């Protein structure tokens, strides 16, 4: 097995990535709430703005804090591309589970989220922010 999997920096980055993920969830939910409840905007618009805020926060914190990278347009483009690819992977996983498993719907969502999280972390670590 790859020796890098067990080094301290891998696990430190994984923990930081998790903290950023929790913060992203809070920011996304808060922005959606403000847009929906206080500004009375359309739910789809509110959702898109909330996710955009979470994605921007994720890029800023993960690039600087988790992976210690300086800003570049290449990093931003790679980050957004990775997000889209990982979202597609998790959606595919979800669709496969819906079609071929007897797992109830909510646990399917949680499993698909786990696949997204692992794939996104690994792609960002080894492709987008590689050193």
């Amino acid at each position: 097995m790859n020796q890098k999997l067990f080094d301290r920096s891998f696990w430190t980055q994984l923990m930081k990535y998790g903290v950023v993920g929790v913060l992203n969830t809070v920011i996304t939910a808060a922005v959606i709430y403000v847009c929906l409840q206080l500004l009375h905007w359309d739910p789809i618009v509110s959702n898109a703005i909330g996710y955009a805020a979470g994605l921007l926060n994720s890029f800023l914190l993960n690039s600087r804090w988790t992976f210690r990278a300086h800003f570049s347009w290449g990093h931003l483009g790679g980050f957004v591309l990775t997000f889209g690819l990982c979202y597609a992977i998790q959606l595919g996983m979800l669709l496969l589970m819906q079609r071929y498993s007897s797992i109830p719907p909510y646990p399917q969502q949680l499993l698909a989220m786990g696949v997204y999280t692992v794939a996104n972390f690994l792609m960002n670590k080894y492709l987008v922010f590689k050193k």
Side-chain angles (χ1 to χ4, degrees):
M1 183 152 280
N2 186 346
Q3 189 66 9
K4 285 195 173 240
L5 182 63
F6 298 105
D7 74 6
R8 184 176 176 170
S9 69
F10 178 91
W11 297 106
T12 300
Q13 287 177 333
L14 184 60
M15 287 179 22
K16 287 180 176 182
Y17 180 83
V19 169
V20 171
V22 169
L23 184 58
N24 291 341
T25 302
V26 170
I27 288 171
T28 300
V31 170
I32 290 171
Y33 179 85
V34 167
C35 291
L36 272 176
Q37 301 297 336
L38 301 180
L39 301 175
H40 307 289
W41 288 359
D42 178 79
I44 301 300
V45 171
S46 299
N47 183 273
I49 292 171
Y51 272 85
L55 184 63
L56 178 62
N57 179 70
S58 181
F59 173 73
L60 293 173
L61 289 181
N62 278 315
S63 65
R64 297 291 292 173
W65 184 52
T66 305
F67 300 112
R68 301 206 180 265
H70 294 288
F71 176 84
S72 78
W73 290 107
H75 284 151
L76 179 59
F79 191 85
V80 171
L81 186 62
T82 296
F83 166 80
L85 181 59
C86 290
Y87 181 79
I89 291 169
Q90 76 83 28
L91 182 59
M93 177 78 172
L94 182 62
L95 293 172
L96 285 171
M97 285 188 289
Q98 286 177 346
R99 184 170 183 131
Y100 297 111
S101 80
S102 60
I103 300 170
Y106 190 65
Q108 287 178 355
Q109 294 281 349
L110 296 177
L111 288 168
M113 288 171 63
V115 168
Y116 167 88
T117 300
V118 170
N120 194 269
F121 172 73
L122 293 173
M123 286 182 189
N124 277 304
K125 177 170 179 56
Y126 293 114
L127 297 176
V128 177
F129 298 110
K130 68 180 177 198
K131 289 187 178 188

